[in-house]
Amino acid sequence: MSTAIIANLEKLLDGPRDGALLRYSLGNEHLKAGDFEQAARRLREAVERDATYSAAWKLLGKALSAGAHPQEALAAYAQGIVVAEEKGDVQAARARRVFSRRVQQQLSATSD
């Protein structure tokens, strides 16, 4: 199912509806399909188009973490915390901190 959705969304790239939301949606579908590298690519494009897109920062951190890029995931979560706090979204900032701590714990466990 995800591959059909991805194909349909990719048809919209570089068209009048292209933007952060489309790139976020593509990243989300790639993440669901288990293609973490492609998910991270599209989510990076989303935050490049809209650096205040809090949900995209969260999903980028998730894709990077799942794709074995923990340091990059921590950076994405950190930026997501900044964005959420600037918007006054305390709950989103708190959630990003939880995700960030999980990645840090995984890093600590692998370095022991």
Side-chain angles (χ1 to χ4, degrees):
M1 180 69 167
S2 258
T3 55
I5 295 170
I6 290 169
N8 287 332
L9 290 173
E10 285 181 345
K11 290 177 188 174
L12 301 173
L13 291 173
D14 300 319
R17 293 188 177 168
D18 194 357
L21 179 59
L22 175 61
R23 303 296 171 136
Y24 172 85
S25 299
L26 267 167
N28 188 37
E29 291 303 319
H30 281 294
L31 189 60
K32 289 179 193 177
D35 187 349
F36 307 124
E37 298 302 318
Q38 190 66 3
R41 176 178 168 225
R42 294 301 185 194
L43 291 161
R44 278 191 188 101
E45 293 169 353
V47 297
E48 286 170 5
R49 285 169 169 72
D50 182 358
T52 66
Y53 198 162
S54 181
W57 285 108
K58 173 189 169 193
L59 217 56
L60 176 57
K62 185 175 180 179
L64 290 166
S65 180
H69 300 285
Q71 296 298 338
E72 292 176 58
L74 288 172
Y77 286 136
Q79 186 58 37
I81 291 166
V82 169
V83 168
E85 287 176 341
E86 286 175 353
K87 289 183 170 188
D89 192 345
V90 177
Q91 182 58 37
R94 189 175 298 136
R96 299 325 177 260
R97 284 188 184 91
V98 169
F99 294 129
S100 182
R101 275 195 298 274
R102 288 179 187 160
V103 173
Q104 289 171 338
Q105 288 170 347
Q106 290 170 347
L107 280 171
S108 294
T110 58
S111 66
D112 289 341

